[in-house]
Amino acid sequence: MIVAKPKVGTLFSLGLFIAISLGVAIYTASFMIGSSSIAWYQYVIVIILFPLSLGLATKVIFGYKVITVGKEKLDITFPTRFKSTSYRIKDIDYWKETQVKTATGTYKEVEIQFEDKKQLSLSYQEHTDYPKVINYLKKKCAKKMRS
């Protein structure tokens, strides 16, 4: 069985960004409450950073998924939502791998479209066992690959 899930480094860097931006927004808001004169940039900091960090935290927490591939099926589990979906390999409508050359290397992403029009995206930089998933798809459903 192949298990693809978000890399620890990705989750750590997103968590660090969320913690710093939320901390700055809360510190600025508490400073604004205790101050008699409030600068315009303090409003901007709180109005931008607070919703941004809360939205990103929600996306990271509820978007966390574990993909298990093997035995002719794909299982997608969302542990924080207590939800699990299972697809057979023959339920795949198509899949395609996109590669984009960047200054730091090549960004790779696979997009899997199922017959019920639901999509699954995995990227090399963000998920573990990405090459194994690609090899499995090439082996089991090469005919459904799009360029």
Side-chain angles (χ1 to χ4, degrees):
M1 296 292 271
I2 302 166
V3 178
K5 56 186 175 182
K7 290 181 180 177
V8 175
T10 302
L11 293 175
F12 178 76
S13 61
L14 285 171
L16 187 63
F17 175 77
I18 291 167
I20 290 171
S21 62
L22 193 58
V24 167
I26 290 172
Y27 176 76
T28 305
S30 67
F31 182 78
M32 288 170 64
I33 290 171
S35 178
S36 60
S37 62
I38 301 170
W40 64 270
Y41 60 86
Q42 293 172 327
Y43 285 112
V44 172
I45 289 172
V46 172
I47 289 172
I48 291 176
L49 284 184
F50 194 71
L52 177 75
S53 57
L54 286 181
L56 187 57
T58 303
K59 184 174 179 356
V60 168
I61 291 169
F62 292 112
Y64 184 88
K65 63 184 172 245
V66 178
I67 297 95
T68 308
V69 181
K71 297 182 182 178
E72 301 288 326
K73 66 179 184 172
L74 275 93
D75 293 322
I76 306 165
T77 306
F78 293 93
T80 56
R81 293 191 224 171
F82 304 105
K83 182 181 174 188
S84 183
T85 308
S86 185
Y87 293 101
R88 295 183 310 240
I89 291 296
K90 62 183 179 178
D91 291 338
I92 295 175
D93 190 23
Y94 71 88
W95 68 276
K96 67 178 179 178
E97 184 179 26
T98 306
Q99 296 184 7
V100 178
K101 296 209 186 251
T102 63
T104 58
T106 304
Y107 178 80
K108 297 179 184 179
E109 181 180 65
V110 66
E111 176 186 312
I112 303 169
Q113 172 92 27
F114 298 102
E115 289 178 350
D116 64 355
K117 302 300 178 203
K118 301 240 173 151
Q119 285 187 331
L120 172 67
S121 295
L122 296 170
S123 69
Y124 179 73
Q125 286 77 2
E126 297 173 3
H127 293 87
T128 61
D129 288 343
Y130 177 87
K132 292 179 184 178
V133 172
I134 293 298
N135 289 336
Y136 187 85
L137 289 172
K138 286 180 180 176
K139 180 180 168 186
K140 295 293 183 179
C141 56
K143 294 178 185 175
K144 296 183 178 186
M145 182 180 178
R146 286 192 182 168
S147 308

